[in-house]
Every structure is written in structure tokens, then in C-alpha cells.
Amino acid sequence: MENIEITKEFIKSITSENEKKKILSLCSNYLQRFGISFPDHRKKQPVEIERKYRLNEPAVFLKSLDGKHIGDVLEPEVVWLGKTDLKQGYIRKGDVEVRIRKSAEKNYYFTVKCGLGIVREENEVSIPKETFDLLWIYSEGSRIGKNRYDIEYRTQKFEVDQYYLCKEKDLITFDLELENENQVIQLPSLFIQAKATDISGSKSLSNQNLSL
């Protein structure tokens, strides 16, 4: 019962607060109650540089799967790394988003992302199922479900997401983490055939705005 009340107060606090450092501090204090370490908000935060694309002809990608590994139908340089099911919920939206996620492998994560565009601050920590379950209740109405396909092409690692729970019908996107903002990206031919377009920084197609 105590953990339920603590979580309720935490949700109330982060949804009413607008200052980034205070939100990070609230997250840190909450997680510490469960013995989970969270990066010090007073220090420089880790940065994620990422580009995101939409496949405007998703049927091309889906046809390529057809029950087979992606590597069976793409050029030899493509390496199939696997598939997993992801469910994630947002307990705070906006320039500072607070997200929880679980994978089919029963891994659970608590993530805070700050900013918009291709360069954002990101802090992510593993959490136990019990903490995830406490927070998941408060993500109702702000959830996403997707199948993720991981592939590698010319040392680049792409995460392809096929959404089955979101506001957009038949949505497939992929993203790629970069070393710097000007990094040259080489796309596999399948992405080109599926009419991939860069949607990095799009608010309407951000995961938090796609959630329902």
C-alpha cells in the first residue's frame, strides 16, 4: 500500500512540474526508494543522436518478411539480428518525457528523454517488474505496442518498428543512432524501395504523440 501511495504522489509531482532538473530529481528520488540508482541530474546528461524514418510503402517491407528472416531477402551485406515485442507507456509527455517499457524477454526499463529533434538527452535504467507494474497503471491512454526488427547494414544498426498499437494505421518506422549529427547514412535497398522518408524531429510522429 505504501508503494502505491508513493507512486501516486510521484506521478502527481512529475506531471505538474515543468522544470527539467526538478523532474529529473523527482525521478531519481522515486527510484531510490526502490534501491534503483539514477544518474545525478546536477551533472551533464548522456546524449542520444538519432534519426528516424517512415516507410511510406510498408507493404514492401512486410512482403519481404513473409515468415522469413530479413537477411534471406535483402542484399548479402544485411545481417539479421532478431525480433522482439515491445510495449511502452508514457507517464509524462512534453519536452521532458518519462517512459516505461517492457520487452517480450521480460526486461523492464525506466527512461527519461529531454528535448526535441535528433539530439536529445537520455537516461535509461533497468527496473524490476514490481516497479514497472506500479507505474504502468498511470500510462493508460498513452501506450504503444510494436514489433521490433533489428538489422545491421554496413556496420550500421537499424531498429525497424512495426506498430500494432498506435494512432497511425499500418505504421512502420526505423531509426538509427549516430555518432554525430553529420554522419552519412547508407540505407539498404529495401528501405529505399519502401519509400523511406526522414521524420526526425516530427512531433506528430513522435512515439509519445502516437501513443493511445
Side-chain angles (χ1 to χ4, degrees):
M1 183 64 71
E2 181 183 5
N3 287 344
I4 293 175
E5 291 302 316
I6 290 172
T7 302
K8 184 186 296 185
E9 184 59 33
F10 167 65
I11 296 296
K12 181 180 178 181
S13 298
I14 64 168
T15 52
S16 60
E17 180 58 64
N18 292 316
E19 188 178 333
K20 181 183 75 174
K21 288 187 176 180
K22 289 184 178 179
I23 295 170
L24 291 171
S25 179
L26 289 166
C27 291
S28 178
N29 293 337
Y30 173 76
L31 293 173
Q32 283 177 5
R33 288 177 176 266
F34 298 93
I36 303 166
S37 297
F38 193 74
D40 190 337
H41 67 279
R42 294 166 296 187
K43 297 181 180 179
K44 187 175 181 180
Q45 302 300 302
V47 171
E48 172 191 63
I49 305 174
E50 182 180 78
R51 284 205 174 274
K52 183 176 182 178
Y53 295 77
R54 178 176 188 165
L55 297 183
N56 291 299
E57 295 189 12
V60 174
F61 177 79
L62 295 175
K63 184 179 180 181
S64 76
L65 294 179
D66 194 26
K68 300 177 182 179
H69 286 174
I70 294 177
D72 294 337
V73 294
L74 294 182
E75 55 263 51
E77 291 178 273
V78 170
V79 180
W80 162 265
L81 300 176
K83 172 189 174 183
T84 190
D85 177 79
L86 298 174
K87 292 182 176 65
Q88 58 196 51
Y90 293 85
I91 54 178
R92 189 188 192 283
K93 295 182 177 182
D95 288 352
V96 181
E97 70 175 48
V98 183
R99 181 192 77 193
I100 50 174
R101 171 187 280 176
K102 66 176 178 179
S103 69
E105 293 77 26
K106 298 183 179 179
N107 296 316
Y108 304 89
Y109 300 96
F110 180 101
T111 307
V112 181
K113 294 191 176 188
C114 305
L116 300 170
I118 70 169
V119 182
R120 297 197 290 173
E121 294 178 0
E122 179 185 50
N123 279 308
E124 183 171 83
V125 293
S126 297
I127 58 175
K129 181 180 184 299
E130 293 74 19
T131 306
F132 175 88
D133 289 340
L134 285 168
L135 294 167
W136 184 250
I137 297 169
Y138 295 97
S139 71
E140 186 174 358
S142 297
R143 295 172 180 169
I144 272 179
K146 56 190 179 181
N147 290 312
R148 169 162 290 177
Y149 304 88
D150 294 312
I151 67 172
E152 183 175 304
Y153 177 69
R154 296 182 180 177
T155 72
Q156 306 165 116
K157 292 185 178 179
F158 295 93
E159 295 176 334
V160 186
D161 292 333
Q162 177 192 9
Y163 294 77
Y164 58 82
L165 176 63
C166 81
K167 291 178 181 176
E168 287 271 332
K169 185 179 179 181
D170 300 325
L171 179 64
I172 297 180
T173 68
F174 67 87
D175 52 54
L176 172 70
E177 287 197 19
L178 308 175
E179 295 182 1
N180 61 73
E181 296 178 61
N182 300 315
Q183 180 177 326
V184 176
I185 301 172
Q186 301 179 68
L187 300 181
S189 62
L190 178 60
F191 292 169
I192 297 171
Q193 292 168 21
K195 302 287 192 290
T197 55
D198 191 340
I199 57 171
S200 306
S202 168
K203 288 186 178 181
S204 62
L205 291 173
S206 66
N207 280 333
Q208 61 170 287
N209 285 328
L210 288 169
S211 63
L212 51 74

